[in-house]
Amino acid sequence: MTLSTDFDPTRAETRQMRVAHRLAHAIARNGLQVVYQPEFDLHTRQLVSLEALCRWHDDELGPVAPDEFIAVAEARGLIVPLGEYMLGQALADLPEVLRRWPQTRVAVNVSGVELARPDFAVRTAAAIRSVNPALAAHLELEVTESVFHHDVPTVRQHLQSLRDLHLTVAIDDFGTGQSSLARLHTLPFDKIKLDRSFVQALENPMVQAIVRAMAQLTESFARTLVVEGVETPAQLEQLRALGCRMAQGYLLCRPATLADLPDTPIWPQA
Ligand code: G
Ligand code: MN
């Protein structure tokens, strides 16, 4: 019998410490890249939003996957500086974004750890004001189910006061983990991003019914539904037929630097 030696807690700990150390270094030295992935209106083909995504290629560690370094950042007290870094980059890029797509918003992902901090809204508002208060109306915050592990009244207050400044709020990866229908009414939001697992199971009639119901549900509350993870023309057509208006995914556009993003959509016309 051979015992698995794949998981070695000491080595895992060492790797986490190393990643945390290098990540702190990268944040301090502007060493993280930001790529943007658009969301499109399937009716008008308009680019409606650009999601800012962090990418990291470290000199010593090589490329580190976002799933890994974001988990490390959350565990090792680096998620707040990382979040501030991403917000700063989004604010810095917004003038160019608005020149190219005047009606757009830039969306930044915000972790529950950040939103649970008492000064989140104040600091976010201050960061915006220090650049240009008018940019608030072009920012979106994407929050995941992880916010439900934290103090929900605090999170709600932050989101409410930032919405008062005209930021919008999207519930990310909806339908997974804790982001259940039962909790939907407990946070203020403008948009739901339906997790890509629904698209991956779209051949199942019950999944089709769920997607159709989500499109109707959001419409009846004057909210937006964006379907994540669209990878094939067949999925795109099926989503349209189910009443979905907005989508994101590799078929439409992969995450890219601002310089590499095409000005006009290049995904296949129906
Ligand atoms: O949790 P969130 O939805 O913010 O995660 C975004 C991540 O999903 C990014 O890292 C992005 O590269 C990835 N992604 C975006 N579109 C697609 C897609 O169509 N298919 C898959 N598998 N991943 C995608
Ligand atoms: Mn997201």
Side-chain angles (χ1 to χ4, degrees):
M1 191 182 86
T2 51
L3 278 173
S4 168
T5 51
D6 282 357
F7 185 72
D8 175 345
T10 319
R11 259 175 65 187
E13 173 87 358
T14 312
R15 165 79 184 175
Q16 202 192 68
M17 281 170 62
R18 219 166 145 228
V19 169
H21 176 75
R22 297 296 303 165
L23 183 59
H25 182 82
I27 295 170
R29 305 278 179 90
N30 264 332
L32 302 169
Q33 290 79 48
V34 183
V35 290
Y36 291 93
Q37 188 178 25
E39 296 166 20
F40 289 100
D41 182 322
L42 302 177
H43 293 180
T44 64
R45 294 178 70 81
Q46 227 182 352
L47 187 158
V48 290
S49 172
L50 282 173
E51 178 179 7
L53 297 165
C54 192
R55 295 288 183 265
W56 179 29
H57 190 292
D58 184 66
D59 290 341
E60 291 177 13
L61 299 169
V64 186
D67 283 352
E68 182 181 8
F69 70 78
I70 286 165
V72 171
E74 285 188 331
R76 300 257 170 187
L78 290 169
I79 197 70
V80 170
L82 180 62
E84 287 178 350
Y85 181 95
M86 292 299 287
L87 177 63
Q89 296 289 318
L91 287 167
D93 285 338
L94 256 170
E96 182 188 336
V97 167
L98 294 175
R99 254 193 316 277
R100 290 171 66 184
W101 303 280
Q103 308 296 329
T104 321
R105 283 179 187 269
V106 166
V108 292
N109 291 281
V110 180
S111 126
V113 177
E114 294 170 83
L115 272 162
R117 288 170 56 99
D119 58 353
F120 177 78
V122 169
R123 289 174 71 103
T124 302
I128 298 166
R129 220 179 312 111
S130 73
V131 181
N132 175 356
L135 294 180
H138 294 282
L139 269 179
E140 183 156 86
L141 303 178
E142 291 195 14
V143 307
T144 54
E145 44 118 6
S146 75
V147 298
F148 293 109
H149 299 300
H150 298 272
D151 181 38
V152 173
T154 303
V155 171
R156 189 189 304 125
Q157 270 175 19
H158 289 322
L159 296 180
Q160 199 52 66
S161 61
L162 291 167
R163 281 176 94 222
D164 290 344
L165 300 177
H166 307 296
L167 279 86
T168 50
V169 174
I171 310 286
D172 207 3
D173 304 331
F174 184 80
T176 60
Q178 311 281 317
S179 62
S180 68
L181 281 178
R183 281 175 154 152
L184 203 49
H185 70 283
T186 65
L187 289 179
F189 67 93
D190 304 277
K191 178 191 277 186
I192 291 177
K193 297 188 73 172
L194 193 65
D195 189 70
R196 67 175 140 274
S197 55
F198 291 90
V199 174
Q200 282 156 5
L202 211 48
E203 70 286 350
N204 182 323
M206 199 182 292
V207 175
Q208 294 163 19
I210 293 169
V211 172
R212 192 199 306 274
M214 285 303 298
Q216 287 164 354
L217 175 85
T218 44
E219 202 183 324
S220 67
F221 284 98
R223 302 296 194 269
T224 307
L225 183 74
V226 177
V227 181
E228 298 180 318
V230 181
E231 294 181 353
T232 70
Q235 290 168 345
L236 186 66
E237 275 333 293
Q238 208 173 356
L239 289 167
R240 270 192 222 268
L242 292 169
C244 298
R245 173 132 196 197
M246 311 276 185
Q248 186 179 36
Y250 290 167
L251 174 74
L252 306 175
C253 191
R254 289 196 174 246
T257 60
L258 266 193
D260 286 340
L261 281 179
D263 282 315
T264 49
I266 52 171
W267 42 278
Q269 196 110 37

